[in-house]
Amino acid sequence: MAQQANIAAQTAFAEAVVTGNLDTLDTVVAPDSVDHDPAPGQVQGPDGYKAMFGELRTAFPDLHVEVEHLLATDDELAFAYTITGTHLGPIRGHPATGKKVSYRGMQISRFDSDGKLVERWGSSDELGMLRQLGLAES
């Protein structure tokens, strides 16, 4: 049952990110949740994720995350995904380019006995995304 609860929590997290309903993160992320690969200036807990994904959604309002592979244990989920979107808003001080991006990432999420995210390790190909936007050299 723990696996299914964790998958449901991760699914709710993903839906919050994709739809922009980031207040949902308050229900699936523990207040003291730690992101081991935080964005610059990201704080712990739901507020940190709200800020990080809020910026990403501003930059890519049509943001989509496709989970391609998922492994689950009783308290952890590991998954590979592809992020796609169109750069229509500012990101890291750069104005919109109107370009489409597609880049991959992986994440490991650990959940407590209440099914709340307590730790996250992740890596996305952000350099690849910046290159696609023409904001970093190839």
Side-chain angles (χ1 to χ4, degrees):
M1 281 306 259
Q3 286 182 6
Q4 293 305 317
N6 297 342
I7 290 170
Q10 188 66 57
T11 300
F13 187 108
E15 287 176 7
V17 170
V18 170
T19 64
N21 185 14
L22 298 177
D23 287 337
T24 299
L25 299 178
D26 292 325
T27 65
V28 295
V29 176
D32 57 350
S33 178
V34 175
D35 189 337
H36 294 282
D37 300 296
Q42 181 180 339
V43 299
Q44 289 184 330
D47 289 340
Y49 293 110
K50 287 179 190 180
M52 176 179 62
F53 288 112
E55 178 183 16
L56 194 60
R57 286 209 35 83
T58 296
F60 302 97
D62 62 345
L63 180 78
H64 181 72
V65 180
E66 181 73 30
V67 174
E68 297 165 355
H69 190 74
L70 174 71
L71 296 172
T73 68
D74 284 343
D75 65 346
E76 293 180 318
L77 298 177
F79 55 98
Y81 57 87
T82 298
I83 295 174
T84 56
T86 309
H87 185 214
L88 300 175
I91 190 165
R92 297 189 186 153
H94 297 284
T97 63
K99 295 180 179 179
K100 293 187 180 297
V101 297
S102 177
Y103 60 103
R104 305 215 45 218
M106 298 185 79
Q107 181 172 310
I108 300 169
S109 301
R110 188 174 71 80
F111 296 86
D112 65 14
S113 59
D114 295 325
K116 290 204 175 202
L117 179 69
V118 293
E119 286 185 280
R120 176 196 169 274
W121 296 262
S123 182
S124 294
D125 184 13
E126 291 185 26
L127 180 56
M129 178 260 298
L130 292 171
R131 284 179 174 157
Q132 291 175 52
L133 296 176
L135 302 176
E137 293 194 26
S138 298

